[in-house]
Amino acid sequence: MKMLATFNVNGRDYDTVIEPHMTLADVLRDKLRLTGTKRACTAGNCGACTVLADEDPICSCITLAVLARDKRIETVEGLAAPGGALSPLQDAFVKNNAAQCGFCTAGMLMTAQAQLRDNPRPTREEVKQSISGNICRCTGYVKIVDAIMQAAEEIQAAEGA
Amino acid sequence: MFQSTYHRAGSVAEARALLDGAEEAKILAGGQTLLPTMKQGLAAPSDLVDLRGIAALRGVTVDGGSVTIGAMTTHAEVAAHDGLARLCPALAALAGGIGDPAVRHMGTIGGSVANNDPAADYPAALLALDAVVVTDAREIPAEEYFAGLFTTALDEGEIVTSVRFTAPGRAAYAKFPNPASRYAMVGVFVAKTGDDVRVAVTGAGEDGVFRHEGLEAALAADFSPAAVDGVEISGEGLMSDIHGGVDYRAQLIAVMAKRAVAAA
C-alpha cells in the first residue's frame, strides 16, 4: 500500500512515496538519498542510524517512517553550515581523529549533538552514558569522548565570546 | 521487513475496534522490541495499530501521593518529570537508566509492561510499588499481571492504558546492566512504606520478575544493607545463560539489594 508522505528533514520538506512498513532509515537513504545516516545492525543495537526527531535521538532503523511525518528530523547532513563549514562538533571529531572507519560517526555525531543541546557542559562520564547506545568497533571510544568534550568547550567559549 | 497494514488510532475505542477487526494485529507502542522482532521474522502481524497518537495515553499525573503514568509515556518523559522525581525519584531514575537515549525517546512504559521481558526494568518497579496496571477493560494488580516470561494477564486485544501506584515512603532501584544490551543482569527494586517492605527482582528469574520474601522479611525487621547479609539467596528458579550462571545471579541479587537499600 503506497502512500504519499512529507518529511521535514534538516529544515526542508521532502515529498515522497513510501510504504507503511518502511523504516525511517530506509526512507532517508533510499527515497531522499540522504545516505549520511547509516544502516548497520538494523536492529536498534548499534546506533549507527541515529537521527534526531524533534531534537531527541532515535534509532531510525527501528522507527517506522510513518511515525516521523509530524517530526522535525535532523540528520548528519544538516550539521554543517550551508556553505559547507563544519559544525564545532564535526570539527572536533576531525581534530581528535575520532573517526576511523567512519561507519558509526554519523550516529555518534547526532547523539552528541542532542546531548550538547540538553547539557552543554557534560562530564566525561555523562558523555559515555550518552553514547552508550552507539557502538564503535575501531577507536576504543577515547577519542570520541575527547572530541565531544572539546566541542562542548568550544561551543561554550564561542557563546561566551 | 514484513508488510503490515499500518493504522494510527485516534482513541482507545478505535484501537480496540481495529485490533478486533484484523486478522492478526499487534499494538505498536514505541516499537523498540516489536520492530527488531519483525525484522528477524519472529513476528509478522497483518496489521499494526499505533497508539502513539492517543493523547489520553500520554503523560505523568501526580495527585497527592498517587501517580498515574499513561501507557504511551516514553521512558525519557518519565525520567524528566519533575513531580515524579520529587515524589518517587527511584522510578524516575529507573526510567533514565533504561537502554540508551534512543530507546528512552521511543520506548514506552505500556510497551515495556505489555512485553514483560524478564530482564526489563519496569516490571521490578511495578511489583515492588504494588502498582495497578489499568487496561481498557479492568484494573490488574501487578502481582497478578506479571505471569511469566513475556507473559501477562492481558487478554487478546486488551490494551494497557496506564499504570498507577501510591508513592512509597522510601524506594530505590539498583541494577547490574549487561554492558552491551543495557538490560538488567539483575535489577532489584526496594520499596518501604511504613513497616512494609517489598523487594522485586528482575533479570534473574526463570519465570520473569518475582518478589523475594526472605529479603522482604529481613528488611522489614531491619532496613539496612547489613540485614541483607543474613538472607540466604537460593539459586532455585534463577536463570542461567551465556551472561551468567545461577550462582552469579544469586550473588548479584544480594549486592543489588544492598545497593538499593543504601540508596533508598
Side-chain angles (χ1 to χ4, degrees):
Chain A
M1 191 178 67
K2 289 185 162 49
M3 56 202 283
L4 274 172
T6 303
F7 294 92
N8 185 280
V9 186
N10 302 325
R12 180 185 151 189
D13 282 338
Y14 292 82
D15 296 321
T16 188
V17 176
I18 66 165
E19 296 191 58
H21 66 273
M22 292 180 85
T23 66
L24 179 57
D26 294 340
V27 169
L28 290 171
R29 289 182 55 85
D30 303 336
K31 293 288 181 178
L32 309 186
R33 297 292 170 193
L34 294 169
T35 53
T37 299
K38 299 299 181 242
R39 270 186 303 236
C41 79
T42 71
N45 295 319
C46 78
C49 68
T50 304
V51 300
L52 308 189
D54 289 344
E55 305 207 338
D56 295 331
I58 60 168
C59 282
S60 63
C61 80
I62 54 167
T63 300
L64 288 179
V66 289
L67 304 187
R69 288 174 298 177
D70 54 354
K71 308 270 189 201
R72 283 172 294 110
I73 304 299
E74 294 170 72
T75 68
V76 71
E77 286 90 346
L79 290 183
L86 296 182
S87 75
L89 187 61
Q90 290 172 306
D91 192 48
F93 266 62
V94 173
K95 284 183 180 148
N96 287 277
N97 293 312
Q100 197 163 319
C101 89
F103 216 78
C104 73
T105 308
M108 288 285 183
L109 286 167
M110 298 318 290
T111 301
Q113 176 81 2
Q115 179 180 31
L116 294 182
R117 273 185 197 151
D118 269 1
N119 178 5
R121 296 304 295 265
T123 63
R124 282 189 81 85
E125 186 54 35
E126 285 169 342
V127 169
K128 286 185 194 172
Q129 288 299 327
S130 171
I131 61 168
S132 64
N134 293 81
I135 293 174
C136 170
R137 293 288 85 140
C138 308
T139 66
Y141 301 100
V142 173
K143 293 176 177 207
I144 294 171
V145 178
D146 288 346
I148 297 170
M149 294 300 289
Q150 188 186 335
E153 276 176 32
E154 288 185 2
I155 293 167
Q156 289 287 307
E159 283 178 1
Chain B
M1 195 167 69
F2 191 80
Q3 302 203 6
S4 303
T5 306
Y6 168 85
H7 310 271
R8 185 178 170 92
S11 68
V12 174
E14 188 193 344
R16 186 64 184 249
L18 287 164
L19 288 167
D20 290 345
E23 194 181 327
E24 196 190 334
K26 274 215 175 287
I27 293 172
L28 176 65
Q32 301 297 284
T33 301
L34 181 57
L35 268 286
T37 309
M38 287 172 65
K39 286 184 160 193
Q40 289 168 336
L42 299 175
S46 63
D47 296 73
L48 286 175
V49 179
D50 178 9
L51 303 186
R52 296 177 65 92
I54 306 175
L57 298 186
R58 293 197 87 130
V60 180
T61 311
V62 174
D63 182 9
S66 173
V67 178
T68 305
I69 304 176
M72 291 302 105
T73 312
T74 65
H75 310 326
E77 288 163 351
V78 173
H81 193 272
D82 290 338
L84 181 67
R86 276 193 297 275
L87 198 59
C88 186
L91 189 66
L94 175 149
I98 295 173
D100 54 57
V103 165
R104 294 197 288 273
H105 283 112
M106 286 298 289
T108 65
I109 190 168
S112 170
V113 166
N115 191 42
N116 192 18
D117 189 298
D121 298 302
Y122 273 130
L126 266 58
L127 196 53
L129 293 169
D130 201 12
V132 172
V133 177
V134 183
T135 78
D136 60 333
R138 58 190 166 141
E139 301 196 345
I140 312 172
E143 204 89 41
E144 293 163 29
Y145 176 86
F146 297 109
L149 293 186
F150 299 103
T151 308
T152 67
L154 291 173
D155 291 328
E156 196 66 37
E158 191 172 2
I159 299 170
V160 175
T161 55
S162 67
V163 165
R164 196 182 64 228
F165 64 94
T166 303
R170 296 162 70 181
Y173 178 63
K175 80 163 159 176
F176 191 89
N178 177 307
S181 73
R182 322 293 288 179
Y183 271 103
M185 293 274 299
V186 165
V188 177
F189 199 106
V190 174
K192 182 178 194 301
T193 299
D195 295 333
D196 185 38
V197 176
R198 292 170 68 101
V199 178
V201 180
T202 189
E206 276 182 328
D207 294 326
V209 67
F210 63 92
R211 283 174 69 186
H212 199 289
E213 287 172 14
L215 287 170
E216 289 183 354
L219 291 169
D222 172 19
F223 195 74
S224 75
V228 173
D229 287 328
V231 181
E232 191 203 331
I233 312 279
S234 161
E236 201 179 324
L238 296 190
M239 251 192 300
S240 179
D241 57 21
I242 56 166
H243 305 302
V246 164
D247 292 351
Y248 183 59
R249 280 199 162 83
Q251 172 67 15
L252 277 181
I253 291 172
V255 175
M256 292 305 115
K258 280 188 188 182
R259 287 186 189 172
V261 171

